């Protein structure tokens, strides 16, 4: 009787444990959204004003991952085991999406900021690719406490001179390696020994303010003053991107390609269905993202023939249930993506692929 009672108790505990809330997430294939298409309300995903825009065949789809779980909606062990056995889902630690000390609201706000930033960077990268000039004005986002700039430089200041030299802000230079905007400021300030002073001229609410700051050694060993800056972009065209409640930076590459297609008289897809995922910087560097296995399943489910993936994410491709059903194209820059599209349009097969990584 004791043995039977123990077995019944053990079985009950085992069964009950299947329904205990666990600090894990389930990642599943999410929605795809054609950047060349329209939202459900009929608005174009990418709207262009101030320049002639075009519509072409083919598609350039961003793909998403759908997450279940989180601190306020813990999943049961039974759900996690079911997801773990699924070839198209993944079980992940909760802190990957919800770091300790951050509320779900803070995480959501951060993803919204990342999405907005990726749209601005995608516009800059697309215009660079099309050789369309724009202005990039370095703007102080914030200063770091107890660093040299603290108390002397203010958020909202525009940096107009470094060491008596005007900061170039126009991308229209004949020299493709010339730095402009915030990139120029960071390079000039960092190009000295820590401890050497730097003179800045700031535009603060329409008035010029001159400051001289000592420098200290930054995190990467270069000279720094403790200023976080970003570019205030002044584009010659008005680009609006509408994606609903989707957040995060991973659609940047596909936004940039969509903008290029809308501004190009000839389509860049050749009528082919392309999907992909990767971040973008204003100078066209494509960065890695998570969730590639699930995103590839979404892309294949919705008819994509090619999947463009950042080189940094190539190692994830072979883990996807859709691996082998899509042509997975490896890209490091926006130029790489454009070159691959040209190869596809011409019917070529010489594409950089993620194979066996």
């Amino acid at each position: 009787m004791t043995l039977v009672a123990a077995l019944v108790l053990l079985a009950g505990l085992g069964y009950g444990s299947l329904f205990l809330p666990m600090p894990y997430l389930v990642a599943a294939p999410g929605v795809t959204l054609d950047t060349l298409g329209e939202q459900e309300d009929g608005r174009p995903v990418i709207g262009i004003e101030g320049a002639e825009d075009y519509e072409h065949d083919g598609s350039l789809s961003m793909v998403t991952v759908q997450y279940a779980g989180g601190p306020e909606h813990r999943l049961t062990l039974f759900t996690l085991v079911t997801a773990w056995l699924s070839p198209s889902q993944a079980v992940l630690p909760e802190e990957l999406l919800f770091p300790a000390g951050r509320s779900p609201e803070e995480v959501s706000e951060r993803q919204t900021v990342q999405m907005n930033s990726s749209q601005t960077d995608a516009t800059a990268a697309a215009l660079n690719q099309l050789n369309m000039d724009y202005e990039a004005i370095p703007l102080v986002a914030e200063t770091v406490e107890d660093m040299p700039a603290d108390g002397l430089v203010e958020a909202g200041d525009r940096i107009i001179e470094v060491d008596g030299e005007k900061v170039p802000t126009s991308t229209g230079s004949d020299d493709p390696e010339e730095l402009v905007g915030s990139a120029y400021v960071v390079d000039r300030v960092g190009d000295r020994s820590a401890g050497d002073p730097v003179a800045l001229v700031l535009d603060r609410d329409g008035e010029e303010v001159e400051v001289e700051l000592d420098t200290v050694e930054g995190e990467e060993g270069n000279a720094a003053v403790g200023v976080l800056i970003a570019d205030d972009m002044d584009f010659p065209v008005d680009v609006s991107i509408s994606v609903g409640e989707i957040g995060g930076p991973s659609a940047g590459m596909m936004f940039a390609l969509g903008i290029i297609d809308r501004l190009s008289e000839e389509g860049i897809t050749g009528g082919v269905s392309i999907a992909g995922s990767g971040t973008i910087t204003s100078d066209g560097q494509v960065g890695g993202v998570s969730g590639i296995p699930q995103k590839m399943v979404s892309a294949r489910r919705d008819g994509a023939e090619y999947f463009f993936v950042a080189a940094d994410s190539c190692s994830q491709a072979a883990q996807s249930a859709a691996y082998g059903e899509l042509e997975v194209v490896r890209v490091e820059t926006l130029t790489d993506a454009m070159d691959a599209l040209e190869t596809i349009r011409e019917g070529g097969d010489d594409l950089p692929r993620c194979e066996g990584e």
Side-chain angles (χ1 to χ4, degrees), residues 263-284:
L263 288 172
S264 299
E265 189 171 351
E266 299 292 333
I268 64 174
T269 69
V272 174
S273 296
I274 313 285
S277 188
T279 63
I280 197 75
T281 60
S282 59
D283 62 353

Side-chain angles (χ1 to χ4, degrees), residues 54 83 100 109 111 150 152 236 259 261 265 269:
Y54 306 88
E109 182 179 350
Q111 289 182 330
D150 187 21
L152 296 175
I259 294 167
D261 189 84
E265 189 171 351
T269 69

Side-chain angles (χ1 to χ4, degrees), residues 109-193:
E109 182 179 350
R110 181 170 181 267
Q111 289 182 330
T112 299
V113 169
Q114 289 176 326
M115 169 59 76
N116 294 337
S117 179
S118 75
Q119 294 177 3
T120 300
D121 287 338
T123 302
L127 297 185
N128 284 334
Q129 194 73 36
L130 294 168
N131 295 317
M132 295 177 66
D133 301 340
Y134 61 90
E135 296 287 321
I137 303 168
L139 188 71
V140 176
E142 60 180 293
T143 58
V144 180
E145 188 176 0
D146 297 328
M147 289 285 279
D150 187 21
L152 296 175
V153 180
E154 299 179 3
D157 287 348
R158 294 188 174 198
I159 304 175
I160 57 179
E161 288 185 16
V162 178
D163 291 333
E165 297 291 334
K166 203 84 168 176
V167 176
T169 59
S170 175
T171 61
S173 170
D174 292 332
D175 181 3
E177 296 185 0
E178 180 179 354
L179 299 176
V180 300
S182 61
Y184 174 88
V185 174
V186 171
D187 182 72
R188 285 297 306 273
V189 172
D191 189 23
R192 69 193 69 219
S193 299

Side-chain angles (χ1 to χ4, degrees), residues 10 17 24 36 43 46 48 59 121 141-142 165 167 193 200 205 210 212 231 257 262 282 292 334 339:
L10 183 62
S17 69
Y24 290 90
L36 305 182
R43 291 181 300 161
I46 296 177
I48 305 287
S59 61
D121 287 338
E142 60 180 293
E165 297 291 334
V167 176
S193 299
L200 302 178
D205 297 327
E210 298 181 11
E212 184 167 316
D231 285 318
L257 292 174
R262 292 297 304 273
S282 59
I292 294 299
L334 188 58
D339 289 343

Side-chain angles (χ1 to χ4, degrees), residues 253 257 268 286 308 329-345:
M253 172 179 62
L257 292 174
I268 64 174
V286 176
F308 283 24
V329 180
R330 173 190 181 116
V331 297
E332 296 186 28
T333 66
L334 188 58
T335 298
D336 289 344
M338 292 295 291
D339 289 343
L341 287 169
E342 182 178 2
T343 299
I344 292 170
R345 289 196 307 274

Side-chain angles (χ1 to χ4, degrees), residues 244-321:
E245 299 300 317
I246 298 171
S250 63
M253 172 179 62
M254 301 311 293
F255 287 151
L257 292 174
I259 294 167
I260 291 171
D261 189 84
R262 292 297 304 273
L263 288 172
S264 299
E265 189 171 351
E266 299 292 333
I268 64 174
T269 69
V272 174
S273 296
I274 313 285
S277 188
T279 63
I280 197 75
T281 60
S282 59
D283 62 353
Q285 301 297 311
V286 176
V289 296
S290 61
I292 294 299
Q294 290 72 45
K295 291 176 179 179
M296 288 173 57
V297 172
S298 299
R300 186 61 186 139
R301 176 198 66 203
D302 291 343
E305 301 170 60
Y306 296 86
F307 190 86
F308 283 24
V309 62
D312 291 342
S313 301
C314 259
S315 60
Q316 300 179 50
Q319 304 168 23
S320 177

Side-chain angles (χ1 to χ4, degrees), residues 2 11 14 36 44 59 70 88 101 122 148 156 162-163 166 202 224 232 235 241-242 246 263 284 323:
T2 301
L36 305 182
S59 61
S88 62
V162 178
D163 291 333
K166 203 84 168 176
L202 312 171
D232 180 16
F235 297 125
I241 302 177
S242 303
I246 298 171
L263 288 172
Y323 187 68

